[in-house]
Amino acid sequence: MERAPRSTPTPGNRLPAGVVTDPTQDPVVMAFWSTVDVVLRRRSNVVAGQHADDVRQRVAVQFFSAPYMVMASYTPEAFANVALSSRAADQRRTERIQRGEGARQQRDPVTGEVHSARQVCGLDALDPDSERIGDVDEFEFRLVQADELRN
């Protein structure tokens, strides 16, 4: 079975429904990507440090998920710089969350210590007069609610 020749979409036209092209086979896409890749390799170590490879991979995924839309909106250098700074910020945020520091940090005005802005507390601290504390009491409470709803 012979394949029909593929047409390469441009920013101004769309392919008919059901036609899928491989952007890695398009020389225009690959020329755009090669320029982006040069900028990424030059700047990623400065911007992302030890996570430069991960950040470059995230930029590649972003580009190849919608290459024609990126090409219609950006020059290769502009896309590389914008995507690199955005993905590097995402990587720093992810690292802080994985270390347990949270995505948002705040500085205590009195002590000057930096800590997570997320506050965690127990149910006792929220409602000390509550009679429904613990799994058993919660289960009984739900049973009483279900009986009331049935009645």
Side-chain angles (χ1 to χ4, degrees), residues 11 32 66-76 78-79:
F32 190 95
Y68 301 107
M69 191 167 65
V70 169
M71 291 168 54
S73 303
Y74 295 98
T75 64
F79 172 73

Side-chain angles (χ1 to χ4, degrees), residues 122-141:
L123 182 61
D124 296 342
L126 292 176
D127 189 7
D129 298 328
S130 175
E131 296 176 7
R132 302 182 309 107
I133 298 175
D135 293 335
V136 175
D137 293 332
E138 180 69 26
F139 180 71
E140 290 174 4
F141 176 74

Side-chain angles (χ1 to χ4, degrees), residues 30-149:
M30 294 314 293
F32 190 95
W33 174 250
S34 66
T35 306
V36 169
D37 193 42
V38 167
V39 174
L40 289 177
R41 289 185 186 280
R42 190 173 349 126
R43 293 201 56 234
S44 63
N45 288 331
V46 175
V47 175
Q50 65 184 3
H51 301 290
D53 292 335
D54 295 334
V55 170
R56 280 197 309 267
Q57 288 176 3
R58 287 182 180 195
V59 172
V61 168
Q62 179 183 356
F63 175 75
F64 284 107
S65 64
Y68 301 107
M69 191 167 65
V70 169
M71 291 168 54
S73 303
Y74 295 98
T75 64
E77 294 82 8
F79 172 73
N81 290 323
V82 169
L84 181 62
S85 61
S86 296
R87 298 297 75 79
D90 291 346
Q91 181 68 32
R92 286 189 295 272
R93 219 175 289 119
T94 301
E95 285 292 314
R96 281 199 313 259
I97 290 170
Q98 289 175 350
R99 285 191 312 258
E101 298 173 2
R104 296 193 177 122
Q105 303 287 307
Q106 70 184 73
R107 185 175 301 279
D108 188 343
V110 178
T111 64
E113 293 179 7
V114 177
H115 58 85
S116 175
R118 295 180 181 178
Q119 299 297 317
V120 179
C121 62
L123 182 61
D124 296 342
L126 292 176
D127 189 7
D129 298 328
S130 175
E131 296 176 7
R132 302 182 309 107
I133 298 175
D135 293 335
V136 175
D137 293 332
E138 180 69 26
F139 180 71
E140 290 174 4
F141 176 74
R142 289 179 186 249
L143 286 176
V144 170
Q145 275 186 330
D147 287 339
E148 290 175 4
L149 286 174

